[in-house]
Amino acid sequence: MTEEKTSADDKLHADCEVEAGEVVEEELVGGAPVRRKGIYLLPNALTTASLFSGFYAIVSAANGVFDNAAIAIFVSMILDGLDGRVARMTNTQSKFGEEYDSLADMVAFGVAPGLVAFFWSLNAFDKVGWAITFIYVAGAALRLARFNTQIGSVDKKFFVGLPSPAAAACVAGLVWYFHRFEPSTWLTLLTMVVVGGAGVLMVSNILYRSFKDLDLRGRVPFAAILLVVLVFVVIALDPATVLFTGFLIYALSGPVRALFRGKPRKTLGAAD
C-alpha cells in the first residue's frame, strides 16, 4: 500500500514538474474546459521573426547603418500583421500567443524605433534627446497595455490612439528618408517633433480608422486590382518617401478628424 502511494505521489510530482516547465492553457471544447500543453509553432514563429527584426534594427542603428535599421522595422510590421492573421486562419489563437505578440511589439515598435531615432539624431541633444526618446518608448508601452485591456470593449472600426506599428512607421520612415542628409539643427528638431508627437498620439484618446471593417473577401470590380498594382509600383519607385508620407498623413488624420468633429455645425436658423 505504501509503495503504491509513493508511486502515485512520484507520478503526480513528475506531472507537476512537466507542467512547471511547459505552457499549459485551458480551452473550451464542447463547453467544457480542457487543459492543453505546448504552443502553436507557426504563428509564434512569425512573432519571433518580428521580434528578431526589431532587435536587428537596434543593432544596425548602434552600428550606424540607419537605412537597414529603418527597413527592419517595416519588416517587423509585415510579420506582425501576418502572425495574427495566420493564427485566425489556422485556428491557432492562444493566450500565450497574445502575450508573446504584445511583448514582441514592445521591442519592435517601442524600443527599436526610439533607439534608432536616438542613435541617428536625438543623441546630439544629450538629456533632452533621451527624454524625447523615453516619451516615445513609454507611450508605446502604455498604448499596448491599454489596447490589451480594451479588446472586445471598443468599436473595431477605430483604434483609440495612434497604433504602435503606425507610430513606428512614422519614425522609421523619417530615418529612412532623411538618413542621407547631413546632420543639422532643423533635422534634429524635426526628429524631436515626430518622435515626441508619435509618443503622445499613442496615448491620446484620438480615434483612428482601423480599416478592419473592409471586406477583403467579397468580389470587387476588375479595376480594383489595377489600383493595387499601381500602389505597389508607386511604393517601389521611392519606398522611403512614399511610406513616410503615407504613415505621416495617417498619424495626422486623427487630430484633423477630431478637430473637425469638435466644431459645432451651424444650423439653418443660425446661418440665416
Side-chain angles (χ1 to χ4, degrees):
M1 185 70 178
T2 304
E3 292 179 357
E4 291 179 357
K5 183 177 181 181
T6 302
S7 177
D9 291 342
D10 290 342
K11 184 178 180 181
L12 178 61
H13 182 66
D15 290 340
C16 291
E17 286 184 345
V18 171
E19 292 191 0
E22 184 59 271
V23 175
V24 181
E25 294 182 313
E26 283 192 357
E27 297 180 0
L28 289 178
V29 179
V34 177
R35 292 168 64 85
R36 298 189 185 276
K37 297 179 183 179
I39 62 174
Y40 295 109
L41 180 60
L42 184 56
N44 289 297
L46 291 171
T47 302
T48 302
S50 175
L51 176 63
F52 175 79
S53 293
F55 176 74
Y56 177 80
I58 297 173
V59 175
S60 295
N63 291 325
V65 189
F66 297 110
D67 53 343
N68 286 355
I71 293 171
I73 292 175
F74 282 105
V75 172
S76 291
M77 289 181 58
I78 296 173
L79 294 169
D80 179 65
L82 286 176
D83 61 3
R85 284 168 176 77
V86 167
R88 288 188 291 271
M89 290 173 60
T90 57
N91 196 26
T92 53
Q93 305 101 313
S94 66
K95 186 65 177 176
F96 174 85
E98 293 177 4
E99 296 296 333
Y100 186 33
D101 181 68
S102 183
L103 293 172
D105 287 352
M106 181 58 210
V107 175
F109 308 135
V111 178
L115 288 180
V116 169
F118 179 79
F119 288 135
W120 174 60
S121 179
L122 293 180
N123 56 359
F125 275 61
D126 196 26
K127 293 182 179 180
V128 176
W130 64 253
I132 296 295
T133 303
F134 180 72
I135 290 175
Y136 177 87
V137 175
L142 293 170
R143 172 69 177 81
L144 290 167
R146 184 175 66 179
F147 176 79
N148 291 340
T149 60
Q150 289 180 332
I151 293 177
S153 62
V154 296
D155 189 350
K156 70 175 184 177
K157 295 181 181 179
F158 297 96
F159 291 120
V160 180
L162 181 64
S164 57
C170 289
V171 177
L174 173 77
V175 175
W176 192 3
Y177 178 76
F178 286 103
H179 81 279
R180 68 196 83 172
F181 287 60
E182 291 295 327
S184 58
T185 302
W186 72 266
L187 188 54
T188 302
L189 292 175
L190 176 63
T191 306
M192 292 174 64
V193 171
V194 173
V195 174
V200 172
L201 287 175
M202 280 191 285
V203 295
S204 69
N205 291 324
I206 296 174
L207 298 180
Y208 285 87
R209 283 290 305 273
S210 67
F211 302 105
K212 291 182 178 181
D213 55 330
L214 294 179
D215 183 12
L216 300 178
R217 297 182 180 182
R219 290 180 175 272
V220 296
F222 176 75
I225 193 64
L226 298 179
L227 180 61
V228 173
V229 172
L230 179 62
V231 169
F232 278 110
V233 169
V234 171
I235 293 176
L237 290 175
D238 191 351
T241 303
V242 174
L243 291 174
F244 174 56
T245 303
F247 281 102
L248 185 63
I249 291 173
Y250 178 73
L252 295 175
S253 67
V256 171
R257 183 172 178 273
L259 182 63
F260 281 98
R261 284 187 63 187
K263 289 184 177 182
R265 295 182 178 180
K266 294 182 179 180
T267 61
L268 292 176
D272 294 338

